[in-house]
Amino acid sequence: MRILSGIQPTGSIHIGAYLGAIKQWTDLQGMGECIFFIADLHALTIPQNPGNFQKQVLQTAAELLAAGLNPEKCIIFAQSQVKEHTELAWYLNTITPLGELERMTQFKDKAKQFKQNINAGLLNYPVLQAADILLYQTESVPVGKDQVQHLELTKTIARKFNQKYGETFKVPEALTLDLGAKIMSLSDPEKKMSKSMPETCLFLFDEPEVIKKKIMSAVTDLGKTIKYDPVKKPGVANLLTIFSLFDGKPIKEIENNFKGKGYAELKKQLVNLLVLKLEPFRRKKKELLSREVYLKEILEQGRKRAAIIAQSTMDAVRQKMGLL
Ligand code: ADP
Ligand code: TRP
């Protein structure tokens, strides 16, 4: 089974992205052929500083390794280094209906957020994502809930291509978790935890004092009982979800442990748990950041392995489309 996913190098990895996507990636390593990449081309759809961009890509590589990706068990590379991604994206653009792109939630959100820079790349973003996935004949794509709409479009594009030019691409499936697919913001539990609001994110590499500050000031709900109810008590439900996923215990058991106790106690114990569980991530990231040559070597090895698969798909695609 081929498994693939990507992350943009647009800031540090937060616990939402970790619990929804990257933890799945680390668990899936060894269960199939895993390909994980840094989506640097996607990141260019929002303003980036060229002088700092390469550093950001290497930092994301360090963070992914610190979070548990093992280059001996998976292919890790930077998207821009395998040129077939952009080539396939162009071909797929020619069969993607404009209306489908215009109704994508992420496009609509980003167009609102970056009013001064609604570039065509922002609209075509999901076509490049479809190319990333189809290029490797991917079967499974582990992602958070917010990416499911892009995956549905990828399936539509794959089917459309296969219909028009003959069977070429595998039709992939999104792989989302029952618990953790959407971790909510600490300050507004109705919204997804997101890098675009850094002050409401808990980053995987935050220092103990920062973890304490962010968790203790997390928004909870009216009432006192610690009960998992995402509709009536979204703040507490979110904290219980984070607790459960880091502790490896079912929500029910955690609820029972907090019987008769208040929100302050839940937060205090969650701080202790997170300080303990996140310590190895911080330590490994620090160590990896000082090994730039090693990071570049891993991305180069990954690029070579990815390119072989990508080139073989592209030979078939060009032939099917009648190109020279
Ligand atoms: P952001 O939306 O904060 O920029 P990323 O683009 O880094 O996050 O997301 C990388 C991966 O993490 C994607 O698969 C995405 O679906 C997942 N993810 C992001 N935020 C969350 C969240 N709050 N809960 C669960 N999964 C998430
Ligand atoms: N769009 C994804 C995100 O914002 C990142 C991404 C790019 C991706 N290409 C992909 C995810 C291919 C899965 C498969 O998180």
Side-chain angles (χ1 to χ4, degrees), residues 53-115:
F53 198 48
Q54 209 182 102
K55 216 168 161 186
Q56 251 173 261
V57 171
L58 290 177
Q59 173 174 305
T60 302
E63 291 195 354
L64 289 174
L65 296 176
L69 287 194
N70 178 347
E72 279 167 22
K73 290 194 187 157
C74 63
I75 297 177
I76 307 172
F77 68 101
Q79 182 190 32
S80 63
Q81 301 307 294
V82 179
K83 312 292 181 213
E84 283 76 6
H85 289 245
T86 41
E87 184 185 353
L88 181 57
W90 178 257
Y91 302 154
L92 299 182
N93 264 319
T94 65
I95 59 161
T96 305
L98 185 58
E100 294 272 339
L101 295 176
E102 282 167 341
R103 67 178 188 83
M104 290 290 119
T105 311
Q106 187 174 304
F107 169 67
K108 290 193 274 189
D109 288 349
K110 291 215 172 142
K112 248 191 240 155
Q113 200 187 339
F114 299 96
K115 279 202 183 73

Side-chain angles (χ1 to χ4, degrees), residues 30-315:
M31 286 169 67
E33 192 181 358
C34 288
I35 304 177
F36 301 118
F37 65 93
I38 300 167
D40 49 357
L41 297 173
H42 277 109
L44 294 176
T45 56
I46 56 172
Q48 301 295 342
N49 172 1
N52 194 42
F53 198 48
Q54 209 182 102
K55 216 168 161 186
Q56 251 173 261
V57 171
L58 290 177
Q59 173 174 305
T60 302
E63 291 195 354
L64 289 174
L65 296 176
L69 287 194
N70 178 347
E72 279 167 22
K73 290 194 187 157
C74 63
I75 297 177
I76 307 172
F77 68 101
Q79 182 190 32
S80 63
Q81 301 307 294
V82 179
K83 312 292 181 213
E84 283 76 6
H85 289 245
T86 41
E87 184 185 353
L88 181 57
W90 178 257
Y91 302 154
L92 299 182
N93 264 319
T94 65
I95 59 161
T96 305
L98 185 58
E100 294 272 339
L101 295 176
E102 282 167 341
R103 67 178 188 83
M104 290 290 119
T105 311
Q106 187 174 304
F107 169 67
K108 290 193 274 189
D109 288 349
K110 291 215 172 142
K112 248 191 240 155
Q113 200 187 339
F114 299 96
K115 279 202 183 73
Q116 309 307 320
N117 182 22
I118 308 181
N119 61 81
L122 219 43
L123 181 72
N124 289 316
Y125 181 112
V127 184
L128 179 58
Q129 184 162 350
D132 298 337
I133 297 166
L134 301 181
L135 194 49
Y136 298 93
Q137 306 291 357
T138 305
E139 283 164 86
S140 259
V141 187
V143 283
K145 203 171 167 193
D146 62 309
Q147 293 301 312
V148 170
Q149 195 184 35
H150 287 167
L151 258 294
E152 288 306 311
L153 180 58
T154 301
K155 287 161 75 170
T156 305
I157 295 174
R159 290 200 192 98
K160 202 158 173 197
F161 190 100
N162 288 346
Q163 219 167 34
K164 188 164 180 188
Y165 295 107
E167 211 48 38
T168 310
F169 295 122
K170 275 226 170 87
V171 180
E173 287 297 334
L175 205 60
T176 52
L177 297 170
D178 292 333
L179 193 67
K182 194 172 183 188
I183 298 293
M184 310 311 279
S185 152
L186 294 174
S187 62
D188 181 358
E190 306 283 340
K191 287 202 185 115
K192 174 185 104 101
M193 183 180 284
S194 166
K195 274 185 292 205
S196 53
M197 293 182 295
E199 61 295 344
T200 73
C201 270
L202 184 66
F203 294 101
L204 214 45
F205 308 93
D206 275 341
E207 296 289 339
E209 318 81 77
V210 180
I211 298 175
K212 188 171 173 193
K213 196 170 148 232
K214 288 183 179 170
I215 295 293
M216 294 314 284
S217 57
V219 167
T220 42
D221 319 272
L222 293 173
K224 282 189 192 134
T225 43
I226 294 175
K227 202 174 161 349
Y228 181 77
D229 185 341
V231 178
K232 287 196 194 130
K233 291 166 165 269
V236 171
N238 194 38
L239 295 180
L240 282 170
T241 302
I242 297 169
F243 205 119
S244 160
L245 290 169
F246 274 107
D247 208 21
K249 288 189 188 131
I251 299 248
K252 270 267 154 274
E253 193 178 327
I254 296 161
E255 270 177 354
N256 282 338
N257 291 345
F258 282 102
K259 260 215 179 93
K261 294 184 181 142
Y263 295 160
E265 185 61 24
L266 171 67
K267 287 180 171 178
K268 218 169 91 190
Q269 289 201 30
L270 182 56
V271 170
N272 291 342
L273 177 71
L274 288 169
V275 167
L276 188 77
K277 296 282 179 176
L278 301 187
E279 192 276 333
F281 295 114
R282 279 196 305 278
R283 185 164 33 81
K284 284 187 201 143
K285 181 183 167 186
K286 259 185 212 141
E287 183 208 316
L288 284 159
L289 279 181
S290 64
R291 300 173 65 193
E292 199 176 302
V293 178
Y294 171 71
L295 293 174
K296 285 186 172 160
E297 182 55 28
I298 285 174
L299 295 180
E300 173 55 17
Q301 292 301 329
R303 180 198 66 78
K304 280 191 195 144
R305 292 168 68 195
I308 294 169
I309 307 170
Q311 279 157 13
S312 131
T313 303
M314 287 315 289
D315 286 345

Side-chain angles (χ1 to χ4, degrees), residues 15-27:
I15 61 165
Y18 176 71
L19 296 175
I22 293 150
K23 188 159 175 285
Q24 289 200 74
W25 304 3
T26 62
D27 293 342

